[in-house]
Amino acid sequence: MIITPLAADTPAERRGIALDEDELVRLQNRWAAAERHDADGLVFLILREPRQDEAAPHVAAQRTPSSIRNGERASRRRHHFHLFGRYYRQVESGHKTIEVRVATPEKAAVEVGDAIVFHDRDSDRELDIIVKRITTYASFDDLLSAEDPTRIDPDGRREELLVNLRTIYPPAKEALGPIAFEFDHRPARPGRPMPMTPSQYAQTVPHHTVYGCLYVRDEHDRPVQLRSVYGSRLWQLPGGNLDAQGEDPLQTARREAVEETGLELGLETPRLLLTHFLHAGPRMPLNKVGLIFDGGRLSADQLRRIRLDPAEHDMWAVHDLACWQELMAPRAFARLDAIERARLDEGPAYLITNT
């Protein structure tokens, strides 16, 4: 376990005691399993299974002690099985979960917990699994009587499967003893290193801004909105842009609602009503994503206690949708109408508009 402050939060003169995001990524990439937890300005890394150098095959082929950690070997022996294309696709799609072979010395050496790498004979594709169970039988008849044939060949029948197995393995091979290798969908090998650091990746993708709002109504379900003092003087819901470090959109909506109305709203876990995507345009150079949550109904007493922040809004009002449609620009009203329809389960919960 490694506990470290982040370099971004550490004074320059103490930079030597901290790690930055790129250093954390490079560190995690040297281990097969890495868990990260952030708390109180610190990063906790739990690192397991140092990666072996795959250029040294004698290391990968060695047996390792059978130390078990969370049900997995600290290091896995690796075996390679080649499959015809149709069988490979069955494994790839998650349908085939038992592979049948015979007990040659190579296959008899496989143990539960080992890795099997399946290779597609028709291409250069490969995938890896962990052996969950190994069962040896006296004959293919015995194997197919005990195992579920659809897990061996999901697209064939038992009779066809028996013929195919005996075509591949003549009697002398069958006499070695058929083996059923059961596997699930857990990966057996560590993932590849990411092609670039998080900082590098962030420079390659379009940037977005995010906002969070609360949709509040009076006791008659008429929407409550605030009139902005800026720009086109738009009518707005309580909420705003996610610009505080560490906040999520719901936390932003709650904080902004207090700042803009003086009321604590959406304190329960509110329902997400609408996801709003705005394309970038002349008025806003970045794409924007908004999450609008159901802030519930406001009582007459709550409405009387609204106190606007004059730096942002100069008026609040309660109207039905018909009246709001007269007061708002068509594009702005389209969002309000979509929110209300989503609240009533009468429309989609995803809206795309242009700025």
Side-chain angles (χ1 to χ4, degrees):
M1 176 183 286
I2 294 176
I3 303 174
T4 176
L6 280 172
D9 302 328
T10 304
E13 64 272 15
R14 305 190 70 199
R15 170 66 174 85
I17 70 167
L19 297 175
D20 64 25
E21 292 292 345
D22 290 347
E23 290 167 335
L24 288 169
V25 170
R26 290 200 299 272
L27 177 60
Q28 292 176 77
N29 284 343
R30 299 184 64 176
W31 296 78
E35 297 175 31
R36 172 172 171 168
H37 305 275
D38 293 73
D40 296 330
L42 297 175
V43 173
F44 294 73
L45 287 182
I46 303 171
L47 305 172
R48 296 186 174 95
E49 302 181 24
R51 289 187 174 176
Q52 295 180 352
D53 182 1
E54 294 196 8
H58 62 284
V59 175
Q62 288 176 353
R63 274 185 177 271
T64 58
S66 58
S67 56
I68 303 299
R69 190 183 289 121
N70 291 333
E72 296 186 5
R73 288 174 178 262
S75 179
R76 299 187 190 284
R77 294 187 306 146
R78 193 175 299 174
H79 310 271
H80 297 269
F81 286 21
H82 291 79
L83 298 174
F84 290 110
R86 83 177 187 97
Y87 299 119
Y88 183 90
R89 289 189 292 274
Q90 291 172 347
V91 176
E92 184 182 54
S93 65
H95 292 100
K96 176 178 171 65
T97 54
I98 294 176
E99 172 62 6
V100 174
R101 297 293 166 109
V102 296
T104 61
E106 179 186 23
K107 297 302 184 284
V110 181
E111 297 178 1
V112 171
D114 284 355
I116 291 179
V117 181
F118 287 118
H119 298 265
D120 181 5
R121 291 183 183 273
D122 299 339
S123 71
D124 58 357
R125 293 181 301 166
E126 62 180 48
L127 62 84
D128 53 277
I129 55 87
I130 298 173
V131 179
K132 183 178 178 181
R133 172 179 61 87
I134 300 173
T135 307
T136 303
Y137 295 93
S139 68
F140 289 127
D141 269 320
D142 291 346
L143 186 150
L144 293 178
S145 297
E147 304 286 349
D148 181 355
T150 63
R151 297 182 62 191
I152 302 169
D153 182 358
D155 300 322
R157 293 179 299 148
R158 184 189 187 282
E159 296 76 14
E160 295 172 346
L161 180 55
L162 182 59
V163 170
N164 290 339
L165 287 171
R166 285 181 168 156
T167 300
I168 298 170
Y169 300 107
K173 291 288 188 181
E174 183 176 356
L176 296 174
I179 305 176
F181 296 96
E182 181 186 359
F183 52 90
D184 55 25
H185 300 143
R186 292 172 297 160
R189 298 183 290 185
R192 302 171 186 169
M194 297 297 289
M196 61 186 73
T197 67
S199 299
Q200 292 169 335
Y201 175 72
Q203 303 305 312
T204 69
V205 295
H207 291 185
H208 297 66
T209 58
V210 179
Y211 77 84
C213 286
L214 295 175
Y215 179 52
V216 292
R217 304 165 306 284
D218 71 354
E219 294 173 326
H220 303 288
D221 277 329
R222 296 177 300 179
V224 179
Q225 295 201 94
L226 320 176
R227 191 175 70 177
S228 173
V229 300
Y230 293 107
S232 303
R233 310 294 305 281
L234 297 175
W235 285 96
Q236 301 173 331
L237 301 175
N241 290 330
L242 198 158
D243 50 21
Q245 194 70 27
E247 275 190 349
D248 61 53
L250 177 56
Q251 291 172 325
T252 294
R254 289 167 172 162
R255 174 180 56 78
E256 291 277 353
V258 173
E259 295 173 2
E260 294 172 355
T261 68
L263 303 178
E264 293 189 352
L265 304 174
L267 297 181
E268 302 297 328
T269 303
R271 171 188 169 202
L272 176 63
L273 295 177
L274 188 74
T275 300
H276 181 205
F277 181 85
L278 296 91
H279 285 285
R283 290 177 51 247
M284 187 172 62
L286 299 177
N287 293 329
K288 193 169 190 175
V289 178
L291 301 178
I292 297 94
F293 301 90
D294 188 349
R297 292 177 173 176
L298 301 186
S299 66
D301 179 63
Q302 286 176 302
L303 292 173
R304 283 192 294 270
R305 289 191 286 112
I306 290 178
R307 296 294 180 267
L308 298 178
D309 177 0
E312 295 195 52
H313 302 99
D314 66 352
M315 180 183 291
W316 65 271
V318 179
H319 296 297
D320 59 25
L321 284 182
C323 186
W324 279 124
Q325 187 170 15
E326 295 178 5
L327 291 170
M328 301 172 70
R331 189 176 299 155
F333 177 76
R335 184 187 73 152
L336 181 66
D337 183 58
I339 296 169
E340 175 61 15
R341 288 189 292 114
R343 183 182 74 85
L344 299 173
D345 294 323
E346 294 178 356
Y350 179 57
L351 176 69
I352 302 175
T353 61
N354 295 298
T355 55

